[in-house]
Amino acid sequence: YFSADYLGYKGSGSITGIPIYLDKLYLSSDANYVKLGCGIGIELGGIVSGKTDFTIRSKTSYENNKLHWKYDKFILNSIHVGANIAEVLTLNGSVTMYENDPLYGNGFSGSLNLEMKKVLEDLKLSARAYFGNNGYDYWMADANIHIPGGIPCGPVTLNGFSGGISSRMKRIASKKSEELDRYIPDENYGLGLKAGIMASFCSDNLVSAEATFEIIFNKHGGLNFIGIYGNASFLEKMGAGALGTL
């Protein structure tokens, strides 16, 4: 007989002579399944790194008062990739899988952040996306780019642009300016479109602002939301707002 809600290890244990390390190892169970999870990573010369988390699931059953385990499924939970190439290019990306999630159902989300350091210094690109099904298909993708030096337009400098498109997803506004708005599935929402700019006035240190225009239709084709929202900072340089964790 075996029963354990969760039993695991989380740390960093390396394998001698091989650039692979154990990030975590855990065992969990419920009424129907036993799950063995593992997180492993790899470091290649401080240039490229990667990490993945997966689960091996077995179905439990009783026969003649004996517990039996039978392999059921291999589940890939997440993948993370990073690169720092010759101090010129920095890249970080991740993909997270969902299965029977109470909010997102089945699907995946991903994010990508790219930054140039020497060539096109201060060029930053961020993107994220959701694709899934929670009784209905939904998806969303958005991105922004920060332009080195900006585009001067008189006393105003355009520092970057953003845009996005969504279907059957609702925007949840962030309560903090440095955090991204969340998008969650909602079958009452239809197609959504948004476009934004990042700008500074006189100098980045005086006034920096970001404004986004968004329009979202409902599932019948009518208008659900239309508006302009954003934020501004005074006497403080505002960053590009990387799109990071989903």
Side-chain angles (χ1 to χ4, degrees), residues 14-215:
S14 62
I15 301 175
T16 304
I18 304 175
I20 298 175
Y21 63 91
L22 178 66
D23 181 57
K24 57 184 175 181
L25 183 66
Y26 56 93
L27 183 68
S28 64
S29 68
D30 54 33
N32 299 310
Y33 299 101
V34 173
K35 303 173 185 178
L36 175 64
C38 183
I40 58 174
I42 185 169
E43 293 277 356
L44 299 176
I47 299 175
V48 178
S49 63
K51 186 183 293 186
T52 186
D53 183 300
F54 60 87
T55 302
I56 300 174
R57 189 174 73 183
S58 295
K59 189 173 181 62
T60 59
S61 62
Y62 285 91
E63 295 180 12
N64 299 323
N65 292 323
K66 291 184 179 180
L67 176 64
H68 295 269
W69 297 355
K70 183 179 180 180
Y71 170 79
D72 179 66
K73 193 174 185 180
F74 176 87
I75 303 171
L76 181 62
N77 300 316
S78 64
I79 300 174
H80 301 269
V81 177
N84 189 347
I85 303 174
E87 297 184 355
V88 173
L89 171 67
T90 300
L91 182 149
N92 288 286
S94 66
V95 176
T96 301
M97 311 298 180
Y98 301 107
E99 182 177 358
N100 297 323
D101 185 87
L103 182 60
Y104 291 98
N106 299 310
F108 67 91
S109 65
S111 66
L112 176 68
N113 295 296
L114 183 149
E115 180 178 356
M116 303 291 290
K117 295 184 177 180
K118 293 184 178 179
V119 181
L120 298 176
E121 186 176 357
D122 205 28
L123 175 68
K124 298 178 182 179
L125 173 66
S126 301
R128 61 176 175 170
Y130 289 87
F131 294 91
N133 182 285
N134 195 12
Y136 51 90
D137 292 333
Y138 66 84
W139 51 267
M140 171 269 183
D142 66 5
N144 71 33
I145 183 169
H146 182 271
I147 303 171
I151 302 174
C153 300
V156 179
T157 300
L158 299 179
N159 297 316
F161 302 92
S162 63
I165 185 170
S166 64
S167 176
R168 292 182 173 178
M169 296 200 80
K170 176 183 179 180
R171 182 177 66 89
I172 304 297
S174 171
K175 295 182 179 179
K176 298 180 180 179
S177 60
E178 66 272 15
E179 294 180 354
L180 292 168
D181 293 340
R182 293 177 61 217
Y183 281 81
I184 63 174
D186 192 320
E187 62 181 331
N188 295 313
Y189 281 62
L191 180 67
L193 301 167
K194 68 177 182 178
I197 61 170
M198 290 171 279
S200 58
F201 299 85
C202 298
S203 75
D204 285 355
N205 295 319
L206 183 59
V207 181
S208 295
E210 182 175 356
T212 300
F213 169 78
E214 185 169 30
I215 181 170

